[in-house]
Amino acid sequence: MTLPKLSSNSNIIKFLGLKKFFRSHETGVSRERIEDFKKFNKLINYGGDEVAFDILGSLNFGQATSDSDTDIVMYTRCEEGRMGECGLENCYKIALFKHMFLNLVTFEHNSQAYKLEIVDCINLNQLEKDIKDKNADSALLIRFCFYRSICRGVNRRLLHKYENMISDNLPLWEKISGSLEECFEGIIKSSQHTYSFHKYAGRLAEKGIKLPGSMTEKIKDYLKQ
């Protein structure tokens, strides 16, 4: 990522370190699903439109199995320069892209097709405006920076434009970074977050990969924060 590193936040650094470890043992299912997103991105680009994704959950950690849901953030530019928030309920492009993606998944995997959950949508029209307006209170801008700080991106080249715009405005970034730290600290305290790490460790154990003692301690140290 091109955003300034949150070097003062040890928890985010620990999170990224743990993610790197689990990604080094990536499942075949994870690789296949990432390829699906890359193929879909090429399809949309070929049609002259823009789309990018941030991947969350088990796929973000490279630990997806055939039973895993696929949670994503979708980035696109809403039709006719429309501003504001966008989603399945008010932007036909989001619904269309989801339908097209699921068709691609069915074609590629047939009986092994999987669910797609769009947990958030970022309207690039509004994102660009909020950055230019230096709107540090923009929830959309804060969410964008949060996802870019911890998620696994597909078509990151599209997103780099906005990351660079933020990086070039350090006063704006400094204001946003405080909000990001609050978001992240809230996630660490959730039981779901703790469960996820136990789940990923269990999946490695099923493959005969035992967590090194040092990594077990790092996970415990991270989760107790």
Side-chain angles (χ1 to χ4, degrees), residues 180-198:
L180 294 183
E181 291 173 358
E182 291 178 6
C183 292
F184 198 80
E185 288 168 5
I187 285 180
I188 293 176
K189 296 175 182 177
S190 70
S191 58
Q192 179 62 42
H193 197 59
T194 300
Y195 170 74
S196 294
F197 277 96
H198 288 302

Side-chain angles (χ1 to χ4, degrees), residues 47-218:
D49 215 326
E50 295 178 317
V51 69
F53 306 97
D54 263 328
I55 312 295
L56 299 95
S58 58
L59 189 53
N60 185 28
F61 277 73
Q63 293 301 308
T65 66
S66 58
D67 296 328
S68 299
D69 291 338
T70 299
D71 299 328
I72 67 162
V73 176
M74 182 180 290
Y75 301 91
T76 193
R77 192 174 294 282
C78 286
E79 69 275 10
E80 300 177 353
R82 189 172 68 82
M83 308 302 288
E85 296 279 2
C86 65
L88 287 168
E89 70 287 347
N90 66 351
C91 180
Y92 83 90
K93 285 177 64 175
I94 302 297
L96 174 63
F97 287 171
K98 181 175 182 179
H99 179 72
M100 291 173 63
F101 182 83
L102 292 178
N103 282 344
L104 180 147
V105 168
T106 301
F107 175 78
E108 292 284 341
H109 303 287
N110 197 10
S111 62
Q112 295 299 317
Y114 52 88
K115 294 181 180 179
L116 178 72
E117 183 69 28
I118 303 175
V119 299
D120 199 359
C121 304
I122 300 291
N123 179 359
L124 296 177
N125 295 327
Q126 187 64 50
L127 176 65
E128 186 166 350
K129 181 178 187 302
D130 288 348
I131 295 173
K132 290 180 177 179
D133 291 347
K134 304 177 182 178
N135 184 4
D137 295 323
S138 163
L140 183 141
L141 178 53
I142 293 170
R143 297 198 318 267
F144 171 78
C145 292
F146 178 73
Y147 298 137
R148 289 283 64 236
S149 295
I150 67 169
C151 293
R152 182 177 190 174
V154 176
N155 193 16
R156 287 173 293 182
R157 182 169 60 179
L158 172 62
L159 303 179
H160 284 167
K161 168 186 175 181
Y162 306 99
E163 293 175 349
N164 289 331
M165 290 173 66
I166 297 169
S167 297
D168 289 341
N169 190 327
L170 287 180
L172 174 63
W173 169 251
E174 288 173 356
K175 292 179 181 178
I176 294 173
S177 61
S179 298
L180 294 183
E181 291 173 358
E182 291 178 6
C183 292
F184 198 80
E185 288 168 5
I187 285 180
I188 293 176
K189 296 175 182 177
S190 70
S191 58
Q192 179 62 42
H193 197 59
T194 300
Y195 170 74
S196 294
F197 277 96
H198 288 302
K199 179 173 64 176
Y200 304 150
R203 288 178 181 173
L204 291 186
E206 290 172 0
K207 296 187 292 184
I209 302 173
K210 184 178 180 180
L211 282 181
S214 59
M215 187 55 60
T216 301
E217 289 304 314
K218 287 180 179 179

